[in-house]
Amino acid sequence: MRLLNPKRLANTHPDPVMQAIVRKTIDFFETKGKKRLKEDDLNRVWYADFIEFIKREKIFATLLTPAGYGGPDCRWDSSRLVVFNEILGFYGLCYWYVWQVTILGLGPIWMSSNEELKKKAARLLDEGEIFAFGLSEKEHGADIYASDMLLLPVGEGRYVARGDKYYIGNGNEAAMVSTFGRLPENGGYVFFAVNSKHEKYECVKNITATQSYVSEFVLHDYPISEADILSRGDDAWNATLNTVNIGKYNLGWASIGICTHAFYEALNHAAGRSLYGGFVTDFPHVKQMFVDAWARLTAMKLFASRAADYLRSASEEDRRYLLYNPVVKMKVTTQGEEVINLLWDVIAAKGFEKDTYFDTAARDIRGLPKLEGTVHVNIALIVKFMQNYFFNPVEYPAVPRRDDPANDDFLFNQGPTRGLGKIRFHDYRPVYAASQLPNVRLFSEQVKVFRDFLRNATPDGDQQKDIDFILALGEIFTLVVYGQLILENAAMSGQSDDTVDQIFDFMVRDFSKFALQLYGKPSSSEQQMAFCLQMVRKSAVDGARFGRIWQREVSALRDAYEMNE
């Protein structure tokens, strides 16, 4: 799977409309140039030029308006969205952020039965407006059970909204802010739409020191009618979590874009820097760090693109995406941190220079694991699926590559958010058994021991309540899921044996690392500790394979891309 290269742009998507959007977006950023991009970042300039570009080219309208509510090219197609996610991450997280928050703001609207508000949203998108998602609060964070935003009745069919929201992206300019609150008479939940320019809407401040506007806003008895209400009760509650189900997936692709740009810049610097009579990239440990960074980045993209196929194929009968999405959110974003760490260890002080993209990347990559639920929150969600994943598989029709021009209707009709423990999965074992590559075989052995651990040394009641223990367990389970979809995509996309074996080289090492962490937990029993030691393996060393990866995949990327100044 090739890394994005704006200077040698391959066909990133079969849809010609998407191809045109890709080229126009890349041209916008390359024309702006790295010098101006960095100046705007350092001076925290609101990205009005980017929003004007989006408006002029109707990009958000084309990509974020479901079929039937806009023009013939408009549809909500996740295979197109991931491409745009990656490009925006490649050039700057702030540009991705205005897009991401617009997606979140649109979620409760497209999930609503209020057709007039849907039509209004479509019209505003066509006019180039942006949107916001009014969920979090200063005192409660994302604890939506405790929302203090109230919708108070003042007459038949009329209300006033009173309360504040915090951490709300685009809260300074959003034409529609999907706002979550409560009805005081019965404690029921409600979603309603407000406008950031209304006189009863106070945008208090930007709570971050960045280009992005992450607002605190207050509604001072903002007038609301029935026409402004998106959903009530269970529907409003479901809209919160189902919107996050859609939005959290995007964070992995932002990480992929950031890491790709940083990779090019780091490699160009290291390969051109003479040190101790040779180039930096001549050192064996530097080659190892670059190969590891490349393998992790390639794995991130393989997993995330395969997870998109399951997202697009989801239905009431097939909800496997509810496992794969939080893995994209949690695993791909934390792997992004690993990639940046490896590259930074190579380029060292260069990574602090204010005129580099890397300086921005090193800062922004840290944020993605912490948005739309922390790593801890997402692992706690992931482990809910562990029992059925390992011990209760069922057969499903094969899910193909999903880049067909279809609207992802199910995403706005996901239904109740409960019942996660009942979701079933296809058997992971055949995809592992199909590979005879040395490191895949080693990894498969580790997975088998882990399954035996769960069956024969099952965590007891106290351990299941011990979040620290469960998080360590969840890291190992996540690796199994990660490896499965990487192998599925590798087979479908024709990845070389060298690429796959190099990916599983670090997967074996990571499995061993997490097994040792689980071994060291205070509550681990003697039996569990014995299983943990059985999981520890050394990756299969193959100098020839490593050399081919270095020459063909990594070193070959030197000077392949550098952003226009």
Side-chain angles (χ1 to χ4, degrees), residues 197-235:
K197 299 307 178 185
H198 194 281
E199 62 180 358
K200 297 295 185 179
Y201 179 108
E202 179 192 0
C203 184
V204 178
K205 62 181 177 180
N206 185 352
I207 64 172
T208 65
T210 66
Q211 279 185 268
S212 299
Y213 203 103
V214 187
S215 71
E216 175 185 7
F217 74 78
V218 181
L219 300 183
H220 298 285
D221 289 351
Y222 188 112
I224 296 292
S225 70
E226 291 291 339
D228 301 309
I229 293 178
L230 291 163
S231 52
R232 300 173 182 265
D234 288 345
D235 288 340

Side-chain angles (χ1 to χ4, degrees), residues 128-370:
E129 299 291 349
I130 59 177
F131 292 69
F133 186 50
L135 185 65
S136 297
E137 296 181 3
K138 186 174 184 178
E139 302 302 327
H140 309 294
D143 178 8
I144 55 181
Y145 292 99
S147 178
D148 286 334
M149 176 66 73
L150 296 178
L151 193 62
L152 304 164
V154 294
E156 190 169 329
R158 294 183 298 112
Y159 308 84
V160 292
R162 184 182 301 163
D164 66 285
K165 292 290 181 180
Y166 209 71
Y167 302 124
I168 310 304
N170 297 353
N172 59 326
E173 293 289 342
M176 290 178 76
V177 183
S178 299
T179 306
F180 183 78
R182 292 187 297 111
L183 293 162
E185 67 270 17
N186 58 14
Y189 298 113
V190 61
F191 251 119
F192 53 92
V194 301
N195 187 324
S196 69
K197 299 307 178 185
H198 194 281
E199 62 180 358
K200 297 295 185 179
Y201 179 108
E202 179 192 0
C203 184
V204 178
K205 62 181 177 180
N206 185 352
I207 64 172
T208 65
T210 66
Q211 279 185 268
S212 299
Y213 203 103
V214 187
S215 71
E216 175 185 7
F217 74 78
V218 181
L219 300 183
H220 298 285
D221 289 351
Y222 188 112
I224 296 292
S225 70
E226 291 291 339
D228 301 309
I229 293 178
L230 291 163
S231 52
R232 300 173 182 265
D234 288 345
D235 288 340
W237 175 263
N238 292 334
T240 64
L241 300 182
N242 287 336
T243 294
V244 173
N245 286 341
I246 298 172
K248 72 170 59 177
Y249 175 82
N250 299 321
L251 282 87
W253 283 97
S255 288
I256 291 166
I258 290 171
C259 290
T260 303
H261 195 156
F263 186 92
Y264 287 126
E265 192 176 66
L267 181 63
N268 291 349
H269 169 72
R273 183 172 174 80
S274 179
L275 199 64
Y276 305 120
F279 290 104
V280 170
T281 46
D282 292 335
F283 292 108
H285 71 290
V286 169
K287 290 182 179 180
Q288 180 66 59
M289 286 188 278
F290 268 121
V291 168
D292 256 15
W294 175 86
R296 289 180 186 274
L297 179 52
T298 301
M300 290 160 63
K301 197 164 184 177
L302 283 168
F303 181 86
S305 58
R306 182 58 178 151
D309 298 333
Y310 287 97
L311 179 66
R312 299 200 72 201
S313 300
S315 66
E316 286 186 48
E317 296 74 33
D318 183 357
R319 301 171 72 202
R320 287 174 286 177
Y321 75 105
L322 290 176
L323 169 59
Y324 305 145
N325 275 22
V327 174
V328 173
K329 158 63 183 78
M330 166 260 169
K331 187 66 179 177
V332 174
T333 60
T334 53
Q335 284 293 286
E337 289 186 291
E338 291 279 351
V339 170
I340 294 298
N341 288 343
L342 286 162
L343 298 174
W344 208 347
D345 280 345
V346 173
I347 67 172
K350 185 71 176 179
F352 292 99
E353 293 184 13
K354 67 180 182 179
D355 59 350
T356 62
Y357 174 85
F358 198 95
D359 170 65
T360 304
R363 178 196 68 205
D364 289 345
I365 201 70
R366 310 299 176 198
L368 290 161
K370 301 166 183 65

Side-chain angles (χ1 to χ4, degrees), residues 51-78:
I51 293 174
E52 180 58 34
F53 162 72
I54 291 297
K55 177 180 180 179
R56 183 174 66 250
E57 300 297 339
K58 297 187 181 295
I59 291 176
F60 283 11
T62 301
L63 299 181
L64 300 181
T65 307
Y69 290 92
D73 296 326
C74 294
R75 66 179 185 271
W76 192 288
D77 175 344
S78 297

